[in-house]
Amino acid sequence: MKRQGVFQIAIDGPVGAGKTSVGRLLARRLGCRFLDTGLTYRAVALAALDREIDLKDSAALGSLAATMRLAVGGDPDGESKILVDGKDVSARLKSESVSDAASLVSAVQEVRRHMVAAQRRIAASESIVMVGRDIGTVVLPDADLKIFLTATPETRARRRYDELVGRGEAASYDEILASLRGRDRRDSERDASPLRAARGAHVVKTDNMELEEVVSAIEKLAGGG
Ligand code: DC
């Protein structure tokens, strides 16, 4: 249940559709909280890697998710800060090894149950823009506005490639495209909360749109802007 006067905006979509940039800027414009739920699965994945838990051992991953202390903080820039057992692990969550592990960990039903409960608790008390894969379908099915943000795999791979090259990192477009297709497949074919547009979601295709345009379009749908 959400408190009166609290609004919820759910943004889902495949990897690289721009959910995080869009969600963060939208939350800033609306003056509300932002939560990137992918970070919660990444935190479980990192903890599993650190503790050398076998990523195929669903029972061990489930009990890790049940017992680890996960806290989500925010700073004024809208960045989500993730604490595991009191330690800030935010800087370690974006590596390729954590991305791959998170894709496996997030397919475990018991892990999802604990993360969804934590995400709902956060959304109950204050207005929020929440982004992920199952926000409109599972976490916040009664959200005031549901968005399914998407773009072709080629567009998404190109954005990722440009981002890495822009940071001076070595990158291969073909490898990025192949890895993105693999993660798309895992996210949409898994049994537990597969990625799909929620009932009533507005589908926004971002191929030919700039970040600002996407955010303004969503603001309009939200009744502001
Ligand atoms: O969005 P991301 O790449 O940070 O997400 C990390 C992994 O977690 C990815 O494999 C998808 C999964 N995920 C999920 O299953 N449900 C969510 N609500 C958010 C992310």
Side-chain angles (χ1 to χ4, degrees):
M1 278 291 285
K2 61 182 173 182
R3 244 183 30 208
Q4 221 182 353
V6 163
F7 65 84
Q8 299 172 337
I9 299 182
I11 304 181
D12 292 300
V15 58
K19 300 183 299 287
T20 305
S21 317
V22 166
R24 187 185 296 133
L25 183 56
L26 179 67
R28 197 176 300 158
R29 287 211 192 148
L30 298 175
C32 70
R33 181 161 188 166
F34 170 64
L35 178 64
D36 176 359
T37 58
L39 295 179
T40 64
Y41 293 97
R42 286 171 181 270
V44 179
L46 178 69
L49 292 173
D50 280 352
R51 292 167 206 204
E52 297 181 1
I53 292 172
D54 179 356
L55 298 177
K56 289 191 209 82
D57 188 343
S58 301
L61 292 171
S63 54
L64 171 65
T67 52
M68 66 189 267
R69 279 191 301 125
L70 183 71
V72 182
D75 66 23
D77 278 342
E79 292 292 338
S80 305
K81 206 186 256 170
I82 303 286
L83 308 179
V84 172
D85 296 329
K87 254 214 278 191
D88 184 356
V89 295
S90 316
R92 298 179 59 209
L93 298 177
K94 289 291 180 177
S95 71
E96 277 303 301
S97 58
V98 171
S99 299
D100 285 341
S103 174
L104 297 170
V105 161
S106 63
V108 177
Q109 190 77 59
E110 198 55 14
V111 171
R112 301 201 71 83
R113 200 167 67 76
H114 290 289
M115 293 304 110
V116 168
Q119 293 157 11
R120 284 186 181 146
R121 271 197 300 276
I122 293 167
S125 56
E126 55 185 320
S127 293
I128 196 163
V129 173
M130 195 183 285
V131 311
R133 303 292 192 290
D134 61 339
I135 311 306
T137 50
V138 176
V139 182
L140 306 176
D142 297 325
D144 302 278
L145 178 65
K146 299 179 196 175
I147 303 290
F148 192 79
L149 211 60
T150 186
T152 64
E154 288 77 11
T155 300
R156 294 184 281 126
R158 171 64 54 192
R159 286 181 187 153
R160 178 80 181 139
Y161 174 83
D162 289 344
E163 184 189 321
L164 290 174
V165 170
R167 272 197 252 141
E169 290 178 37
S172 148
Y173 171 81
D174 289 337
E175 273 175 29
I176 293 172
L177 181 60
S179 134
L180 187 141
R181 285 190 196 278
R183 278 158 70 190
D184 273 2
R185 212 167 18 245
R186 280 206 294 269
D187 288 347
S188 55
E189 289 177 3
R190 68 181 179 212
D191 294 332
S193 309
L195 173 68
R196 58 183 168 78
R199 188 195 302 255
H202 298 265
V203 177
V204 180
K205 295 197 175 105
T206 67
D207 293 87
N208 297 310
M209 291 172 89
E210 297 291 336
L211 172 63
E212 296 273 339
E213 279 179 85
V214 178
V215 173
S216 298
I218 299 175
E219 256 188 310
K220 263 204 195 98
L221 291 169

